[in-house]
């Protein structure tokens, strides 16, 4: 039986990962360590509470004593580190917590993984560590790191720490760098859920800059199947890019959302650009495709529809969030949504 420490498992991707694993595997015991920041939500995991292969612990990955205790008590054999501060705009408002959680927290996990001789440490990274592309080209695993935001700089730092632990101590570290995820349970500060919810409420949809920035979108369950494969078969010291070759301009996604919801384009509002806004991300996933026969199953337009329907059906989930204190704080800080 693998005993996996999943960190950040109450967030968007982590909660989808835990449900996927508990649904299809009975040879994996999961300890979910999550600080329950504004982005962590135990409602995401309501179906898992009674599962005999699952336990939740509220706590911070920066807390070395707690992390040590968990590795010892649960005889952890594997780590999947999703825990992070994950929103670029928040990192622009204040970077300290990003470096604390994403870098120091990852280092605490790596140190303990070394002491307890884990069999695999999967670091969940992002394509944003590569920086921004021009019109052409794709990020490959060999593309030099060129992070542009405090968020991506903290993620790139964590990647380097993880690779250093492999090089220096032979820790079996594997890194995944995935493109933009979307799907159920994504916190409504990220582009797709924010636009769906604003449109449902007939509120303005704030588009940064000219709306022509490009992201490469992947449905969350396609990402998580890749993570499971890397957990099983990833080669220590290696990096695997994960993406679904679905490049889209932000404005085109927003128009698709408005169309499906039968809402007018007049809800679109062009606002001041994000400082340092990366223009284009696009990822080459050939390595994971060739080595592990992974391929994405979901087409963007179909899975976007599925996602929109999920937010329509799960209004209680997001209403509790948007009426809560955590978003009020963020909104009061983010005063720079100047309409242009
Ligand atoms: P999220 O913000 O939805 O969830 C993050 C989770 O981590 C939350 O449950 C939060 O409570 C927890 N957390 C934060 N700080 C913690 C700490 N100090 N200790 C313990 N738990 C803590 O993020 P997400 O979108 O699910 O992203 C998960 C991971 O995937 C992140 O590492 C992110 O960098 C990476 N990633 C995300 C995307 C994307 O499009 N969302 C794409 C590529 C990579
Ligand atoms: O209100 C908005 N208006 C807007 O135009 C928001 C929230 C975003 N945008 C733009 C900015 C980006 O070009 O949409 C694009 C996507 O923005 P986000 O959803 O904030 O994602 P991004 O900045 O691309 O980062 C995401 O992908 C990589 C995740 O948040 C990261 O955690 C992940 O690593």
């Amino acid at each position: 039986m693998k005993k996996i420490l999943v960190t950040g498992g109450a967030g968007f991707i982590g909660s989808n990962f835990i449900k996927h694993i508990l649904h299809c595997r009975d040879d994996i015991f999961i300890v979910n360590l999550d600080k329950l920041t504004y982005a962590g939500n135990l409602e995401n995991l309501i179906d898992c509470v009674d599962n005999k292969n699952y336990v939740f612990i509220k706590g911070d990955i920066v807390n070395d004593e707690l992390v040590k205790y968990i590795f010892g008590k649960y005889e952890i054999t594997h780590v999947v580190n999703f825990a992070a501060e994950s929103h670029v705009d928040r990192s622009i408002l204040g970077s300290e917590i990003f470096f604390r959680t994403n870098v120091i927290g990852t280092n605490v996990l790596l140190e303990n993984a070394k002491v307890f001789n884990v069999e695999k440490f999967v670091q969940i990274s992002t394509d944003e560590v590569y920086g921004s592309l021009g019109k052409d080209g794709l990020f490959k695993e060999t593309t030099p790191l060129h992070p542009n935001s405090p968020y991506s700089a903290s993620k790139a730092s964590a990647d380097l720490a993880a690779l250093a632990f492999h090089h220096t101590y032979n820790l079996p570290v594997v890194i995944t760098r995935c493109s933009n995820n979307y799907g159920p349970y994504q916190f409504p500060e990220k582009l797709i859920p924010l636009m769906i919810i604003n449109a449902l409420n007939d509120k303005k949809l704030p588009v940064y800059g000219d709306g022509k920035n490009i992201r490469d979108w992947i449905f969350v369950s396609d990402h998580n199947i890749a993570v499971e494969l890397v957990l099983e078969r990833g080669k220590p010291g290696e990096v695997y890019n994960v993406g679904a070759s679905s490049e889209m301009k932000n404005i085109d996604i927003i128009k698709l959302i408005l169309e499906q919801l039968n809402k007018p384009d007049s809800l679109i509002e062009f606002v001041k650009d994000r400082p340092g806004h990366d223009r284009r991300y696009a990822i080459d996933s050939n390595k994971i495709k060739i080595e592990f026969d992974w391929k994405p199953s979901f087409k963007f337009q179909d899975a976007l529809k599925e996602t929109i329907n999920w937010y329509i059906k799960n209004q209680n989930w997001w209403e509790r969030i948007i009426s809560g204190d955590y978003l009020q704080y963020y909104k009061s800080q983010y005063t720079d949504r100047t309409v242009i």
Side-chain angles (χ1 to χ4, degrees), residues 124-142:
I124 305 297
S125 186
T126 164
D127 61 355
E128 297 204 25
V129 298
Y130 297 121
S132 187
L133 289 165
K135 272 196 178 123
D136 304 314
L138 299 173
F139 297 132
K140 295 184 188 306
E141 287 82 355
T142 50

Side-chain angles (χ1 to χ4, degrees), residues 317-328:
W317 181 86
W318 55 260
E319 267 186 344
R320 270 196 285 280
I321 290 174
I322 62 173
S323 61
D325 288 344
Y326 21 39
L327 263 200
Q328 296 312 325

Side-chain angles (χ1 to χ4, degrees), residues 183-207:
Y185 302 102
Q186 186 166 32
F187 194 82
E189 63 187 353
K190 306 283 165 60
L191 180 78
I192 289 181
L194 181 77
M195 298 300 157
I196 297 171
I197 289 170
N198 279 12
L200 285 170
N201 288 327
D202 295 309
K203 282 173 64 181
K204 292 285 185 188
L205 275 50
V207 182

Side-chain angles (χ1 to χ4, degrees), residues 7-15 33-41 59-62 81-87 97 100-102 105 123-127 151 155 176-182 185-187 189-190 217-218 223:
T7 68
F12 163 49
I13 305 175
S15 61
L33 171 63
D34 195 299
K35 188 179 166 185
L36 298 182
T37 67
Y38 75 94
N41 186 348
D60 192 333
I61 58 168
V62 173
N81 182 26
F82 289 102
E85 288 294 333
S86 70
H87 192 42
I97 189 67
R100 189 177 147 73
T101 289
N102 300 1
Q123 172 65 11
I124 305 297
S125 186
T126 164
D127 61 355
Y151 162 70
K155 293 296 288 185
T176 58
R177 294 193 182 132
C178 189
S179 61
N180 285 59
N181 285 226
Y182 64 101
Y185 302 102
Q186 186 166 32
F187 194 82
E189 63 187 353
K190 306 283 165 60
W217 295 91
I218 182 169
H223 178 189

Side-chain angles (χ1 to χ4, degrees), residues 18-292:
I18 290 174
K19 282 182 282 199
H20 163 71
I21 294 291
L22 293 178
H23 181 69
C24 14
R25 304 279 299 255
D26 55 13
D27 59 335
I28 292 183
F29 182 86
I30 291 179
V31 180
N32 175 12
L33 171 63
D34 195 299
K35 188 179 166 185
L36 298 182
T37 67
Y38 75 94
N41 186 348
L42 286 180
E43 269 188 70
N44 303 359
L45 292 157
I46 212 106
D47 311 343
C48 307
V49 193
D50 295 329
N51 194 303
K52 65 179 184 351
N53 287 339
Y54 173 74
V55 66
F56 171 74
I57 297 172
K58 180 176 185 306
D60 192 333
I61 58 168
V62 173
N63 182 343
D64 181 61
E65 225 173 286
L66 173 66
V67 170
K68 198 172 267 86
Y69 166 79
I70 292 170
F71 270 85
K73 175 168 164 79
Y74 293 99
E75 299 173 335
I76 296 299
T77 57
H78 295 69
V79 178
V80 183
N81 182 26
F82 289 102
E85 288 294 333
S86 70
H87 192 42
V88 173
D89 291 332
R90 285 179 189 255
S91 81
I92 295 167
L93 290 172
S95 59
E96 200 268 336
I97 189 67
F98 283 75
F99 287 93
R100 189 177 147 73
T101 289
N102 300 1
V103 186
I104 298 176
T106 300
N107 193 58
V108 167
L109 295 170
L110 289 164
E111 283 288 358
N112 282 288
K114 173 177 66 126
V115 170
F116 287 89
N117 282 316
V118 300
E119 291 167 33
K120 189 75 66 75
F121 187 114
V122 182
Q123 172 65 11
I124 305 297
S125 186
T126 164
D127 61 355
E128 297 204 25
V129 298
Y130 297 121
S132 187
L133 289 165
K135 272 196 178 123
D136 304 314
L138 299 173
F139 297 132
K140 295 184 188 306
E141 287 82 355
T142 50
T143 302
L145 302 190
H146 197 299
N148 289 320
S149 70
Y151 162 70
S152 54
S154 70
K155 293 296 288 185
S157 307
D159 284 16
L160 294 179
L163 290 172
F165 269 72
H166 171 69
H167 188 80
T168 309
Y169 308 113
N170 223 11
L171 189 72
V173 166
V174 190
I175 295 177
T176 58
R177 294 193 182 132
C178 189
S179 61
N180 285 59
N181 285 226
Y182 64 101
Y185 302 102
Q186 186 166 32
F187 194 82
E189 63 187 353
K190 306 283 165 60
L191 180 78
I192 289 181
L194 181 77
M195 298 300 157
I196 297 171
I197 289 170
N198 279 12
L200 285 170
N201 288 327
D202 295 309
K203 282 173 64 181
K204 292 285 185 188
L205 275 50
V207 182
Y208 299 162
D210 64 3
K212 291 183 183 157
N213 298 64
I214 291 174
R215 298 291 182 265
D216 191 348
W217 295 91
I218 182 169
F219 193 58
V220 62
S221 56
D222 277 333
H223 178 189
N224 280 331
I225 287 167
V227 173
E228 185 186 4
L229 277 169
V230 167
L231 178 69
E232 296 289 340
R233 296 166 61 188
K235 295 194 192 98
E238 293 291 318
V239 174
Y240 297 88
N241 283 350
V242 183
S245 304
S246 292
E247 284 185 59
M248 295 286 294
K249 291 192 182 97
N250 296 334
I251 190 71
D252 293 337
I253 296 181
I254 290 165
K255 286 186 174 164
L256 284 174
I257 292 171
L258 288 170
E259 191 183 294
Q260 186 178 331
L261 292 175
N262 206 14
K263 299 282 182 176
D265 281 6
S266 56
L267 285 178
I268 293 173
E269 185 165 79
F270 288 92
V271 299
K272 202 169 159 198
D273 209 354
R274 173 186 277 174
H277 198 173
D278 284 340
R279 193 64 174 166
R280 175 172 168 255
Y281 303 149
I283 201 153
D284 178 338
S285 313
N286 273 327
K287 180 171 171 180
I288 192 167
K289 284 181 178 155
I290 292 165
E291 288 190 21
F292 305 145

